[in-house]
Amino acid sequence: MNIILLGPPGAGKGTQARILVEGRNMVQLSTGDMLRDARTSGTEMGKMVAEVMDKGHLVTDEIVIGLIREKLTSGQAGGGYIFDGFPRTLAQADALGALLAELGEPLDAVIEMQVDDAALVSRITARSTCGNCGEVYNDNTKPIPADQVCTSCGQKAEFKRRADDNEESLKTRLLAYYKQTSPLIGYYYAKGSLKSVDGLASMDEVSASIAGALG
Ligand code: AMP
């Protein structure tokens, strides 16, 4: 089963992708994570994307489609792929459709995670992740343990905040979402693949709704 998690920054796509990876042996393909890896690698591409990402703009279609193509043509996904943060433009959606068709892979569902903007701002400005395993924490709802030991991987960890998780870049990221990504809701609705869930419910409720939507 191959699925897309669609929603604005802070909707909980990464958190739900991790739950699906554990529960269904799926492979998470997060273009945000791939780009963050690229920027720390010191390559030309890494330097180029770092500035764009920090400001909250979208990286070019060519770069992200290239990253996804590389993953899809080189790896094996036991339980299927979860596309997290990709596609983000209509051109990326068309490219993904063509790529899956070329590989003879289906696109089984597009899960739209619905949340309101006020919730996104408070979620994003409060979030941090475990430097070892990527588990997501929130200052209000799931604070970093006092002993700095991650509840997911059990390691003493450094907890990181993303450079683009500040109110200024968030504004740009939200605008990019509404201008460039939200048309994908209509695109996938018209293709008959769209399923919407309430992303504001608790983490367990959201994952139950996603499970229900996937059947
Ligand atoms: P994310 O971790 O999904 O919130 O992505 C972080 C940042 O990486 C975004 O604000 C963009 O700058 C860049 N990015 C991630 N995925 C894409 C994509 N599919 N297309 C363009 N830029 C992307």
Side-chain angles (χ1 to χ4, degrees), residues 1-144:
M1 178 179 284
N2 299 312
I3 65 167
I4 294 172
L5 293 182
L6 185 63
K13 302 184 295 291
T15 301
Q16 293 301 327
R18 291 169 67 81
I19 294 172
L20 288 164
V21 167
E22 275 186 22
R24 296 183 181 236
N25 190 32
M26 295 177 83
V27 171
Q28 176 186 11
L29 293 183
S30 155
T31 39
D33 285 348
M34 292 174 207
L35 291 165
R36 277 183 286 279
D37 284 346
R39 60 183 288 171
T40 52
S41 67
T43 59
E44 270 315 302
M45 197 259 271
K47 285 182 214 151
M48 219 163 66
V49 299
E51 202 182 327
V52 177
M53 289 176 77
D54 287 350
K55 287 192 177 143
H57 295 296
L58 292 189
V59 169
T60 64
D61 289 335
E62 199 190 350
I63 290 179
V64 287
I65 292 166
L67 289 170
I68 288 287
R69 169 176 279 280
E70 202 180 302
K71 293 281 179 192
L72 289 184
T73 51
S74 65
Q76 284 287 319
Y81 291 107
I82 306 158
F83 297 96
D84 160 15
F86 179 91
R88 257 174 157 100
T89 63
L90 290 167
Q92 292 178 21
D94 281 340
L96 178 62
L99 196 50
L100 289 174
E102 190 184 313
L103 298 169
E105 289 275 346
L107 176 61
D108 298 281
V110 178
I111 309 284
E112 181 208 358
M113 300 180 64
Q114 297 178 325
V115 275
D116 71 57
D117 296 345
L120 296 176
V121 177
S122 63
R123 268 191 191 182
I124 286 194
T125 48
R127 86 173 160 187
S128 54
T129 53
C130 166
N132 289 326
C133 71
E135 181 73 1
V136 182
Y137 289 82
N138 178 292
D139 296 343
N140 308 313
T141 56
K142 188 180 167 188
I144 296 166

Side-chain angles (χ1 to χ4, degrees), residues 144-164:
I144 296 166
D147 58 5
Q148 307 275 304
V149 174
C150 173
T151 51
S152 175
C153 67
Q155 307 270 325
K156 199 169 175 73
E158 208 184 301
F159 294 84
K160 300 179 180 167
R161 288 195 194 264
R162 281 172 41 172
D164 58 350

